[in-house]
Structure formats: structure tokens, C-alpha cells
């Protein structure tokens, strides 16, 4: 399942034309999909009082003209409101001409008949937003905002064609005045922004309308966001051979913890142990190790009280993965340490939390990495890495993650709801987990899981995506048992084995 950006969707439609399905056919099919939902609603609700289509001048309006024509031909009471004047695209104009020949369709111009339009809203059974679609940008014009304001107050069922007008299908943001819908019929594929709030809420129930896009139309599009789910995860972990030993499942070094955050070292280390890594070594201060070692006899320990960059870097030798940053703190010494590991470790490095913060003011260090690098920023860390505001990072994690991955050749885990993983030309969307993860320590658990998977030989982008999925699946099991409010990150670790047991691993 893919979730195109608006730009990618435009490319898919252009490719459709090249593969024998014209844009006119796509519009006819889109209107048909919209009609089918209204028919279905009509089986459960009386819609004899009328269906009102609010149509823009572009192709989204054209989709509405098709649906209006089909409904009117079947005898429905249909009104079409021209919200932005006459059609301005060739396709929309063609469909408007087709509509004009159908008996029983009342066409109103919003600016000329505003009182009558609002009266229609008050009595309608269904109101359909076909104003802007995925092509929206900027601000909703005042007359559209006023129109939607009256429509919102109507008891009618509200439907959006492709996406509620006023929504950004890349970022998932909405403009003031956007119509909040009960249903959205999105054409071909769900768009990436529909997975994000607040747009997800404004879409209501999302119905994917089949419009006849050829399978080849999406082929070869770089970084086309795809759903990463259980069927993608399990095959990454073959069943263990009966004669296997600890050396077969990777050697992981976890550089984590400080006097004030020993829990981060404990959580990340235990999560790695629970996620299948063969040998896990924690490099930390004597204070941290003395606090947690008795509770984790399975791990090995290296004392690094002076945080000597050279000595810690030597511990990376012979390892299959190195995790850096959980509860590490940000000091001149830790900055030097992080740089030394990035530029010298010959295995995959997973950079989290303070590991990210240590290079935020000199990100070009990444260009000198010796091996693969996975970074796991939340929105605030992503903003610091990209030199933008937290608000901008929250609004467009996909674009920032893509740009960061391309610029520096790294795998990016842009944490959020959903989490986005980008690397090696792939973009994954993982809607796993629940609000119970909104606690300090959850990120440390995720880092431990990803690091364990990398140590076991998974490609960085696969290790990252699988880690996010498994972390979320364990969190969902935990919430079922303990509730979202009462669960802790340590509880999530204890439920990791039950995720793997499901796959007989």
C-alpha cells in the first residue's frame, strides 16, 4: 500500500495517460466512485431532500460534475454550486458541458445566489466538497470559508472528493475554514497527509475509490511512501538454525548513560537483549554500570568514566553495530566521542537522543562517516538538525527526512504519529504504537531494538522500519494488558518476546 505525495500523485496520473488510461477516464471513474458512496448512503439514509455539490473551477470540480450527472440521471435531486465561477480546465469544462444536458440539475453560482445556496445547504441530505482537492495551496478565499461555514452547520452528511478543500495532502495540515467531513472518497490511493492529524480527523471515514490507475503508473517513482507492516517484518528474521550460537546474531556496543540518566542506558541495553542480539556490551560510567549491572547479567560492560574518545572508539572494533546517545548528556567530551565513533566505526551506527544533540551544531560531521548511519530524531531534534523550527518539523517530517537522507546518505527515523523511515531510496510509513509511548524512555527502548536488528545484519532501512514496527506492536500488547495510562517503557520491553513468538522466532 502506497501513500503518494501530491506531486507524486500528479506523476502517477501522467504515467497513467502514457499507459493507456486517459485523464478523462480517470475523472469519469473518480466521479463514479463518489457516486457509489452516495448510493450506499442512500440505502441507509433518506437522501430525497437533495444532494448539493460545491464545485471549484479545476479538475476536482470536474469530478463533482461527473457524480452530479450520474446521480441526476438516476433520478436524484441534485444541485451544483459553482464556487469559483466557470470551469477553468479543459477536462472540467468537458464534464460541465455533459452535465448541462441532463434534466433536473439545478446549477447555482455562489456569488450570484448565495442566499439560495445557503437555503439548499439547510435542507440537503448530502453536501459534497469538490472545490480544490489535492491541488490546494495558500489560503481559503473568504467566499469559500463563508460557504463552508454554512455547510458545516447543516445536518447534512458531508463528503469530500479526494480530500477536504483547504487541506495540505503532504503535511496533513488544514487551513482555517476547512469543511470537516463525515466521509472522504480519495481517488486511487490515500495521500500521505491523510495519515497525519489534523487532516485525518477532517477526512472522517476514508474510502479509497478505484479509478483504474495502471499498476505501472506508480513504478519507478523514487521515495514513494509505502506502508511497512507485519508481512514485511517477519521475513526479515529467518528461523534460527538448531546449531546456531551467540556469534551468529551480532555483537552490539551501546554507548549510553550518565549519572543523571542511568535509566536510558538500562532501557536501551535491555531492549537490545530482548530483541535477539547475540552479544550486547554497554559502555558507560562506573556509576551507571554499578546501578544496573546486577539487573542485567546477560550484558557485558566497559567502564568509560573519562569518556575517552579513543578508547571507546576502539571498543567499536569487531562490533556489528554501535548505538550512541541514550542518556549520554551533551558536553565537550561527549561531542568529541560522538564524532570519533561516527568517523571511525566500521559498522552501522545508530544515533539517538544526545548522540543527535551532540552533532546538531556541526552536522557536516556526518559526511565523514565511515559506515552506515541511522538517526532517530523526534520533531525537536529533527528541527535542530535541519535548521528549522519545531513547528515546521512537526508539519512536514516527510520532506525534512527525505532531504536529510538525500543530503547526507543516512537512514532517518522521523519519530511521530505515524513514524516515517527514509533511507536508500525507500520511504516507509509505520502507524504502529499508541499514546502510551508518550513517556520518557520510550525512545531508548526503540534505539535498543533498532540497534539489535542492525547487529543481526539487517540493512539499515530495514532495521529501522522493523524496529519501529516491533516497538509499536509490543506497545499495543502492553496497552491491552496494562492500559495506555499505566504502561511504562520497561513494560514494553517485557512484551517484545510475545511479538517474536507470534512469528515463531
Amino acid at each position: 500500500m502506497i501513500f503518494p505525495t501530491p506531486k507524486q500523485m500528479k506523476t502517477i496520473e501522467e504515467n497513467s495517460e502514457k499507459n493507456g488510461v486517459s485523464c478523462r477516464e480517470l475523472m469519469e471513474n473518480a466521479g463514479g466512485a463518489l457516486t457509489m458512496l452516495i448510493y450506499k448512503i442512500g440505502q441507509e439514509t433518506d437522501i430525497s431532500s437533495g444532494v448539493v455539490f460545491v464545485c471549484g473551477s479545476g479538475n476536482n470540480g470536474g469530478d463533482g460534475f461527473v457524480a452530479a450527472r450520474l446521480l441526476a440521471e438516476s433520478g436524484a435531486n441534485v444541485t451544483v454550486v459553482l464556487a469559483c465561477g466557470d470551469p477553468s480546465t479543459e477536462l472540467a469544462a468537458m464534464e460541465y458541458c455533459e452535465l448541462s444536458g441532463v434534466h433536473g440539475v439545478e446549477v447555482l453560482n455562489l456569488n450570484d445566489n448565495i442566499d439560495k445556496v445557503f437555503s439548499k445547504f439547510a435542507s440537503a441530505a448530502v453536501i459534497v466538497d469538490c472545490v480544490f482537492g489535492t491541488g490546494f495551496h495558500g489560503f481559503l478565499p473568504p467566499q469559500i470559508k463563508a460557504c463552508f461555514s454554512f455547510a458545516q452547520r447543516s445536518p447534512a452528511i458531508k463528503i469530500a472528493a479526494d480530500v477536504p478543500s483547504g487541506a495540505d495532502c503532504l503535511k496533513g495540515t488544514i487551513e482555517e475554514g476547512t469543511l470537516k467531513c463525515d466521509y472522504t472518497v480519495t481517488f486511487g490511493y490515500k495521500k500521505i497527509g491523510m495519515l497525519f492529524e489534523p487532516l485525518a480527523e477532517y477526512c472522517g471515514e476514508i474510502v479509497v475509490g478505484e479509478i483504474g490507475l495502471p499498476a505501472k503508473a506508480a513504478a519507478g517513482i523514487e521515495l514513494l511512501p509505502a506502508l511497512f507492516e507485519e508481512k514485511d517484518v517477519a521475513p526479515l528474521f529467518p528461523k534460527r538454525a538448531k546449531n546456531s550460537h551467540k556469534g551468529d546474531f551480532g555483537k552490539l556496543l551501546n554507548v549510553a548513560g550518565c549519572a543523571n540518566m542511568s535509566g536510558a542506558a538500562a532501557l536501551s541495553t535491555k531492549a537490545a537483549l530482548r530483541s535477539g542480539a547475540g552479544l550486547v556490551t554497554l559502555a558507560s560510567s562506573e556509576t551507571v554500570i554499578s546501578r544496573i549491572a546486577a539487573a542485567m547479567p546477560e550484558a557485558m560492560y566497559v567502564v568509560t568514566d573519562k569518556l575517552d574518545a579513543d578508547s571507546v572508539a576502539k571498543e567499536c572494533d569487531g562490533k556489528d553495530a554501535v548505538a550512541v546517545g541514550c542518556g549520554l548528556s551533551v558536553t565537550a567530551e561527549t561531542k568529541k566521542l560522538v564524532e570519533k565513533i561516527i568517523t571511525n566505526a566500521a559498522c552501522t551506527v545508530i544515533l539517538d537522543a544526545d548522540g543527535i544533540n551532540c552533532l546538531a551544531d556541526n552536522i557536516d560531521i556526518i559526511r565523514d562517516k565511515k559506515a552506515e548511519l541511522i538517526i532517530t530524531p523526534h520533531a525537536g531534534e529533527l528541527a535542530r538538525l535541519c535548521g528549522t523550527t519545531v513547528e515546521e518539523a512537526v508539519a512536514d517530517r516527510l520532506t525534512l527526512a527525505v532531504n536529510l537522507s538525500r543530503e547526507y546518505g543516512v537512514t532517518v527515523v522521523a519519530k511521530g504519529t505515524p513514524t516515517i523511515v527514509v533511507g536508500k531510496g525507500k520511504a516507509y510509513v509505520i502507524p504502529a504504537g499508541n499514546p502510551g509511548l508518550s513517556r520518557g524512555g520510550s525512545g531508548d527502548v526503540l534505539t535498543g531494538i533498532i540497534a539489535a536488528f542492525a547487529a543481526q545484519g539487517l540493512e539499515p532501512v530495514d532495521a529501522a522500519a522493523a524496529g519501529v514496527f516491533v516497538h509499536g506492536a509490543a506497545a499495543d500488547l502492553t496497552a491491552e494488558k496494562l492500559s495506555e495510562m499505566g504502561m511504562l517503557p520497561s513494560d514494553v520491553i517485557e512484551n517484545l518476546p510475545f511479538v517474536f513468538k507470534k512469528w515463531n522466532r
Side-chain angles (χ1 to χ4, degrees):
M1 187 183 299
I2 60 174
F3 304 94
T5 66
K7 185 177 180 179
Q8 288 170 334
M9 194 64 207
K10 186 176 181 181
T11 300
I12 290 171
E13 290 170 354
E14 291 170 352
N15 290 345
S16 176
E17 187 102 42
K18 296 173 185 176
N19 283 277
V21 182
S22 70
C23 290
R24 177 76 185 276
E25 289 176 275
L26 295 179
M27 183 173 284
E28 287 284 337
N29 293 337
L34 191 54
T35 304
M36 291 303 298
L37 175 62
I38 297 171
Y39 281 153
K40 183 178 179 181
I41 292 170
Q43 292 174 353
E44 302 170 358
T45 305
D46 181 12
I47 62 170
S48 60
S49 59
V51 179
V52 179
F53 291 85
V54 185
C55 297
S57 61
N59 287 345
N60 196 237
D63 299 331
F65 297 149
V66 173
R69 186 190 78 229
L70 295 173
L71 282 171
E73 288 173 343
S74 68
N77 176 9
V78 175
T79 301
V80 171
V81 176
L82 300 179
C84 306
D86 292 336
S88 60
T89 68
E90 182 180 355
L91 282 177
M94 290 170 66
E95 296 297 352
Y96 185 59
C97 288
E98 291 281 336
L99 175 67
S100 63
V102 178
H103 177 73
V105 178
E106 184 173 11
V107 178
L108 302 173
N109 190 300
L110 177 63
N111 291 330
D112 296 338
N113 300 277
I114 193 165
D115 291 336
K116 189 172 184 179
V117 169
F118 292 166
S119 176
K120 288 284 185 179
F121 287 163
S123 61
V126 178
I127 297 172
V128 187
D129 164 18
C130 305
V131 180
F132 293 123
T134 59
F136 173 79
H137 59 277
F139 301 94
L140 285 174
Q143 73 272 19
I144 302 299
K145 288 175 68 173
C147 177
F148 285 166
S149 177
F150 272 82
Q152 198 73 71
R153 284 177 264 173
S154 168
I157 294 170
K158 287 89 175 175
I159 301 173
D162 214 9
V163 65
S165 298
D168 187 316
C169 270
L170 173 63
K171 301 177 181 179
T173 56
I174 58 160
E175 284 300 314
E176 181 184 359
T178 300
L179 186 66
K180 192 174 185 179
C181 295
D182 301 294
Y183 299 91
T184 293
V185 182
T186 190
F187 304 134
Y189 306 101
K190 282 186 183 179
K191 314 311 183 287
I192 184 66
M194 292 179 174
L195 300 176
F196 308 143
E197 297 293 349
L199 177 53
E201 181 183 357
Y202 272 67
C203 286
E205 181 180 335
I206 299 175
V207 178
V208 179
E210 173 58 52
I211 60 172
L213 290 166
K216 291 181 179 179
I221 298 177
E222 186 186 19
L223 293 166
L224 185 58
L227 184 67
F228 192 89
E229 48 194 337
E230 186 169 344
K231 68 178 179 60
D232 301 305
V233 182
L236 296 173
F237 301 94
K239 194 170 182 179
R240 297 187 170 202
K242 292 186 182 297
N243 64 344
S244 59
H245 57 84
K246 60 189 178 184
D248 293 332
F249 303 108
K251 298 176 183 178
L252 170 65
L253 177 67
N254 184 23
V255 184
C258 66
N260 294 330
M261 291 180 283
S262 56
L267 289 169
S268 53
T269 302
K270 192 166 188 179
L273 288 166
R274 282 290 192 193
S275 298
L279 292 164
V280 179
T281 300
L282 172 65
S284 194
S285 68
E286 185 174 1
T287 300
V288 171
I289 291 173
S290 65
R291 288 173 181 172
I292 68 178
M296 282 187 290
E298 301 89 351
M300 296 179 289
Y301 300 93
V302 174
V303 175
T304 59
D305 272 333
K306 295 181 180 179
L307 287 173
D308 179 68
D310 292 329
S311 62
V312 175
K314 287 180 182 177
E315 293 294 332
C316 298
D317 293 344
K319 300 299 189 292
D320 298 294
V322 178
V324 189
C326 296
L328 191 62
S329 77
V330 180
T331 66
E333 290 79 12
T334 57
K335 287 182 179 181
K336 183 180 179 182
L337 174 62
V338 169
E339 180 178 357
K340 187 77 173 181
I341 291 174
I342 289 173
T343 56
N344 284 271
C347 59
T348 299
V349 174
I350 300 88
L351 209 60
D352 182 51
D354 285 334
I356 294 172
N357 295 329
C358 280
L359 60 79
D361 57 356
N362 188 17
I363 190 174
D364 281 341
I365 291 169
I366 294 177
R367 297 189 191 278
D368 298 323
K369 65 185 183 300
K370 189 172 182 179
E372 298 285 353
L373 182 64
I374 301 171
I375 58 175
T376 62
H378 57 55
E381 292 160 349
L382 186 62
R384 287 193 287 278
L385 289 174
C386 297
T388 186
T389 66
V390 175
E391 291 74 19
E392 289 171 325
V394 169
D396 198 2
R397 288 181 296 123
L398 175 62
T399 298
L400 294 182
V402 166
N403 291 345
L404 200 58
S405 179
R406 281 176 168 165
E407 176 73 13
Y408 296 99
V410 299
T411 294
V412 181
V413 181
K415 294 186 285 194
T417 307
T419 291
I420 296 166
V421 175
V422 180
K424 296 291 184 182
K426 299 177 181 178
Y428 290 126
V429 178
I430 306 108
N434 59 70
L437 290 172
S438 302
R439 283 178 174 79
S442 291
D444 303 314
V445 175
L446 175 60
T447 296
I449 299 170
I450 293 173
F453 291 171
Q456 290 170 74
L458 269 64
E459 288 294 318
V461 69
D462 291 333
V468 172
F469 180 90
V470 168
H471 184 229
D476 289 341
L477 286 176
T478 306
E480 288 176 15
K481 297 176 183 179
L482 301 176
S483 79
E484 293 178 356
M485 185 174 288
M487 62 187 278
L488 294 173
S490 54
D491 299 321
V492 175
I493 295 173
E494 298 311 313
N495 278 298
L496 286 170
F498 299 102
V499 177
F500 302 129
K501 186 177 180 182
K502 185 177 180 182
W503 307 327
N504 195 24
R505 301 294 190 269

